[in-house]
């Protein structure tokens, strides 16, 4: 029996190694080769085919007999003939053969292989020297956490030949993004508008996040497929549990339409589990599919799994360039071999960062060279110039926190007394948790003896963040490059005062001066006022008397 084409049939990669864009793990993943068929090599042909010494041929043949394709075959040569005859079936029969053969390799007969280094033109190729002619099954001897197990059948020409094979690289990839709400964002590829690696928000805001998971090209080789998103939120963010929605898009480019007339239908929540207790990897919650191969899900190798949720940015959020970093990983089935359904790998973590800032209002005496601090100045912040939307605040430990906005009608504006705050002896009010944006500062009461500002101060807080999808995820400070505050001159914008602040602490400061004015009565008594009133009355009476006297004199004449 001669088999010249068996190499074409059996060069099958049943599961892949490493995710796209990740370097080969030469030091953590290793392979061994097992001789499946032996024979005599002559002029490019293998004859006299027998079971190789790397497998338990008797047990392998017994199980193969349970498959329709091999049920009446009684020798290694006849089984090889079946493989040869099915070369037009996209290697489906070869896959079945390899799946069974992987169960019956002899561990002590594995031949050590090597993986070409990064500077080799054949980087990533698996190589070994064949000790004898035949066909060899290559399998992972050990596997990195983000790798997947594989089995490959290749043909060795003769003893001493160098066997080299380049398996495909395909395990799931995970992308995590956060939606930016007020900066221009460079569009990402197939991730949805506004999603990026970096964003800034106000405390109290619900921050939208997105997770995207892909599938390996060998997805069909798995009988069951576990798939779990592990998401770790920073201390400043709390998951809004009811916000979780999952979508399955069955191609590599579509992004779910979340709103509107053509909005996609999310996956039924009964199809997956949301786990938020008992985790062992320090994550905040998990989205867990026990089996993506379920027919009801309709998942294919080209599918992408989208998870959307929001998390509330709280008072525990970090202010400034350290940011609030968050990361996610994807746990996935990585062993298509029989009995390997429970084995899983994990993708490298993907990170995003959310920033928030602090506005310090500094009140001082404008007539004092040392800018002496002023206590007792009361302010309110507005989110618009028309005073229709007031910034809400809460106070904790002498610090104010942004707490959203409140609509104020024109009718109630005159009697509106809420959301005010006053300076203490330091002259400074700290308001934490503001986003980039525009704010209007109104002084509602001045310190005793000082004039109250008659106009609001228009402030613009601007953070320069990395919005080009290229943040490395290593240092949060690399994602916040500048921080400025502008006192806007609405009459002449070119004369606006711009102050650069240190983005490290995330604080911007608005300096507000008050000047002393004339206040009556100067001594605090009412007596002086009485004299002014009486004097004014006497002047009026005298004037009236003078006019009457002149009229009387005119009549006598």
């Amino acid at each position: 029996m001669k088999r010249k084409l068996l190499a074409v049939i059996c060069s099958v990669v049943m599961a892949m190694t490493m995710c796209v864009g990740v370097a080969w793990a030469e030091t953590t993943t290793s392979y061994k080769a097992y001789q499946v068929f032996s024979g005599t090599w002559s002029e490019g042909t293998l004859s006299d085919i027998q079971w190789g010494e790397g497998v338990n041929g008797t047990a392998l043949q017994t199980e193969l007999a349970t498959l329709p394709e091999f049920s009446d075959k009684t020798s290694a040569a006849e089984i090889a003939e079946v493989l040869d005859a099915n070369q037009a079936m996209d290697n489906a029969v070869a896959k079945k053969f390899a799946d069974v053969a992987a169960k019956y390799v002899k561990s002590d007969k594995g031949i050590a292989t090597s993986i070409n280094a990064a500077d080799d033109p054949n980087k990533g190729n698996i190589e070994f020297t064949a000790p004898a002619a035949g066909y060899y099954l290559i399998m992972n001897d050990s596997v990195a956490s983000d790798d997947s197990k594989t089995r490959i059948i290749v043909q060795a020409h003769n003893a001493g030949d160098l066997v080299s094979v380049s398996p495909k690289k395909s395990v799931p990839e995970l992308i995590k993004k956060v939606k930016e709400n007020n900066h221009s964002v460079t569009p990402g590829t197939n991730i949805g508008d506004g999603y990026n690696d970096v964003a800034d928000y106000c405390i109290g805001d619900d921050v939208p996040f997105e997770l995207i998971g892909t599938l390996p090209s060998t997805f069909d080789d798995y009988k069951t497929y576990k798939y779990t998103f592990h998401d770790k939120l920073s201390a400043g963010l709390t998951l809004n549990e009811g916000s979780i929605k999952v979508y399955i898009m069955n191609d590599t480019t579509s992004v779910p339409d979340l709103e509107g007339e053509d909005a996609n239908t999310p996956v039924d929540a009964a199809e997956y589990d949301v786990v938020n207790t008992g985790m062992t990897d320090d994550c905040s919650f998990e989205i867990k599919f026990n089996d993506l191969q379920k027919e009801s899900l309709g998942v294919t190798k080209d599918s992408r799994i989208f998870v959307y949720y929001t998390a509330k940015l709280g008072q525990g959020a970090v202010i400034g360039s350290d940011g609030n970093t968050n990361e996610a990983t994807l746990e996935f089935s990585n062993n298509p071999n029989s009995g390997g359904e429970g084995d899983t790998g994990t993708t490298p973590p993907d990170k995003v960062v959310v920033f928030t800032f602090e506005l310090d209002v500094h009140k001082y005496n404008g007539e004092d060279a040392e800018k002496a601090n002023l206590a007792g100045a009361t302010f309110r912040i507005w989110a618009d110039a028309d005073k229709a939307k007031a910034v809400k605040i809460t106070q904790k430990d002498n610090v104010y926190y942004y707490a959203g906005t409140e609509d104020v009608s024109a009718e109630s504006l005159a009697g509106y007394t809420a959301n005010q705050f006053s300076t203490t002896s330091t002259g400074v009010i700290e308001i934490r948790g503001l986003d980039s944006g525009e704010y209007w500062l109104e002084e509602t009461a001045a310190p005793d003896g000082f004039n109250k500002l008659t106009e609001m101060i228009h402030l613009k807080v601007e953070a320069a963040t990395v919005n080009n999808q290229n943040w490395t995820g290593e240092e949060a400070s690399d994602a916040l490059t500048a921080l400025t505050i502008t006192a806007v001159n609405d009459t002449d914008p070119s004369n606006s005062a711009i102050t650069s602040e240190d983005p490290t602490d995330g604080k911007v400061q608005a300096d507000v001066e008050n000047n002393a004015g004339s206040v009556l009565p100067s001594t605090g008594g009412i007596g002086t006022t009485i004299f002014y009133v009486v004097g004014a009355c006497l002047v009026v009476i005298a004037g009236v008397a003078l006019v009457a006297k002149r009229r009387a004199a005119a009549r006598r004449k």
Side-chain angles (χ1 to χ4, degrees), residues 130-397:
Y135 297 92
Y136 290 81
L137 173 71
I138 299 176
M139 294 178 60
N140 297 88
D141 178 56
S142 64
V143 65
S145 62
D146 56 355
D147 200 352
S148 60
K149 293 194 173 181
T150 185
R151 62 249 191 190
I152 311 166
I153 297 179
V154 296
Q155 179 183 20
H157 290 280
N158 206 350
D161 285 352
L162 178 66
V163 180
S164 181
V165 61
S166 178
K168 298 177 183 177
K169 307 178 183 74
S170 177
V171 295
E173 181 182 16
L174 172 72
I175 297 172
K176 180 170 185 176
K177 297 293 180 181
V178 59
K179 191 166 188 176
E180 171 53 53
N181 62 346
N182 60 17
H183 292 295
S184 177
V185 172
T186 302
T189 304
N190 305 323
I191 64 172
D193 293 340
Y195 283 94
N196 187 44
D197 294 325
V198 183
D200 51 0
Y201 278 87
C202 292
I203 282 177
D205 283 350
D206 291 327
V207 183
F209 292 92
E210 174 187 59
L211 303 173
I212 306 173
T214 66
L215 277 302
S217 61
T218 55
F219 178 69
D220 292 341
D221 295 329
Y222 290 80
K223 295 180 177 65
T224 62
Y225 200 83
K226 296 181 183 296
Y227 202 80
T228 302
F229 294 94
H230 297 256
D231 198 289
K232 183 179 180 181
L233 295 170
S234 64
L237 285 157
T238 303
L239 172 68
N240 295 317
E241 294 187 20
S243 68
I244 296 173
K245 291 185 178 180
V246 179
Y247 297 83
I248 295 175
M249 308 303 290
N250 284 325
D251 60 61
T252 59
T253 59
S254 295
V255 176
D257 181 2
L258 305 181
E259 300 176 354
E261 205 170 290
D262 300 322
N264 295 93
T265 302
V267 176
D268 189 331
E271 297 282 8
Y272 58 87
D273 296 319
V274 178
V275 182
N276 53 24
T277 58
M279 286 82 70
T280 59
D281 61 350
D282 199 30
C283 69
S284 303
F285 67 96
E286 300 172 355
I287 307 295
K288 184 176 183 179
F289 286 90
N290 289 316
D291 185 13
L292 279 185
Q293 291 285 6
K294 286 179 63 176
E295 187 175 350
S296 59
L297 294 173
V299 175
T300 72
K301 63 181 178 60
D302 296 319
S303 297
R304 295 197 300 162
I305 317 299
F306 288 78
V307 175
Y308 294 94
Y309 68 89
T310 64
K312 189 172 292 295
L313 189 65
Q315 292 183 3
V318 174
I319 306 295
S321 64
D322 284 344
N324 300 273
T325 55
N326 308 280
E327 67 180 47
T329 58
L330 178 62
E331 182 183 2
F332 56 91
S333 289
N334 73 342
N335 188 359
N337 301 297
S338 296
E341 290 83 0
D343 297 346
T344 59
T346 304
T347 64
D350 194 19
K351 294 182 180 180
V352 298
V353 60
V354 178
F355 293 108
T356 192
F357 310 107
E358 176 181 314
L359 170 63
D360 291 349
V361 178
H362 176 220
K363 191 68 170 176
Y364 67 93
N365 186 345
E367 298 176 348
D368 185 277
E370 301 299 323
K371 293 186 176 182
N373 300 325
L374 289 178
T378 302
F379 292 92
R380 183 187 290 122
I381 296 180
W382 296 89
D384 68 332
D386 298 325
K387 299 204 291 190
K389 194 177 290 292
V391 171
K392 296 169 63 177
I393 56 171
T394 59
Q395 186 177 15
K396 180 180 179 182
D397 299 330

Side-chain angles (χ1 to χ4, degrees), residues 403-477:
T405 60
E406 179 177 68
D407 292 334
V408 181
S409 66
E411 293 75 18
S412 62
L413 182 59
Y416 185 66
T417 60
N419 297 310
Q420 299 184 92
F421 41 89
S422 300
T423 58
T424 62
S425 59
T426 65
V428 176
I429 303 165
E430 298 178 0
I431 306 163
R432 294 182 183 172
L434 271 67
D435 191 359
S436 295
E438 296 185 74
Y439 304 92
W440 284 260
L441 184 65
E442 178 192 21
E443 185 174 30
T444 58
D448 291 342
F450 288 83
N451 292 322
K452 179 170 72 71
L453 299 182
T454 58
E455 295 182 355
M456 294 193 296
I457 301 174
H458 182 184
L459 300 174
K460 183 183 291 186
V461 178
E462 295 180 283
T465 54
V466 175
N467 299 314
N468 57 7
Q469 310 291 336
N470 291 327
W471 180 56
T472 63
E474 295 179 2
E475 296 292 338
S477 57

Side-chain angles (χ1 to χ4, degrees), residues 40-211:
T40 301
W41 187 262
S42 177
E43 298 181 359
T45 301
L46 187 70
S47 59
D48 301 324
I49 295 176
Q50 305 290 325
W51 289 116
E53 66 173 15
V55 294
N56 184 333
T58 301
L60 172 56
Q61 186 168 319
T62 298
E63 183 164 340
L64 287 173
T66 64
L67 303 178
E69 295 85 353
F70 303 101
S71 59
D72 60 345
K73 308 308 174 188
T74 59
S75 68
E78 290 180 351
I79 290 171
E81 186 175 6
V82 171
L83 295 172
D84 188 19
N86 282 276
Q87 58 182 302
M89 293 178 61
D90 193 28
N91 293 324
V93 174
K95 288 181 179 181
K96 289 184 178 182
F97 173 83
D99 186 64
V100 177
K103 297 166 58 177
Y104 296 105
V105 296
K106 296 179 180 179
S107 59
D108 61 336
K109 298 296 183 179
I111 301 164
T113 67
S114 61
I115 302 176
N116 289 343
D119 57 353
D120 192 297
N122 296 314
K123 174 188 175 182
N125 279 11
I126 304 167
E127 293 184 347
F128 69 98
T129 300
Y135 297 92
Y136 290 81
L137 173 71
I138 299 176
M139 294 178 60
N140 297 88
D141 178 56
S142 64
V143 65
S145 62
D146 56 355
D147 200 352
S148 60
K149 293 194 173 181
T150 185
R151 62 249 191 190
I152 311 166
I153 297 179
V154 296
Q155 179 183 20
H157 290 280
N158 206 350
D161 285 352
L162 178 66
V163 180
S164 181
V165 61
S166 178
K168 298 177 183 177
K169 307 178 183 74
S170 177
V171 295
E173 181 182 16
L174 172 72
I175 297 172
K176 180 170 185 176
K177 297 293 180 181
V178 59
K179 191 166 188 176
E180 171 53 53
N181 62 346
N182 60 17
H183 292 295
S184 177
V185 172
T186 302
T189 304
N190 305 323
I191 64 172
D193 293 340
Y195 283 94
N196 187 44
D197 294 325
V198 183
D200 51 0
Y201 278 87
C202 292
I203 282 177
D205 283 350
D206 291 327
V207 183
F209 292 92
E210 174 187 59
L211 303 173

Side-chain angles (χ1 to χ4, degrees), residues 19-32:
C19 62
V20 176
V22 178
W24 281 77
E26 288 101 343
T27 59
T28 57
T29 301
S30 63
Y31 300 83
K32 284 187 177 179

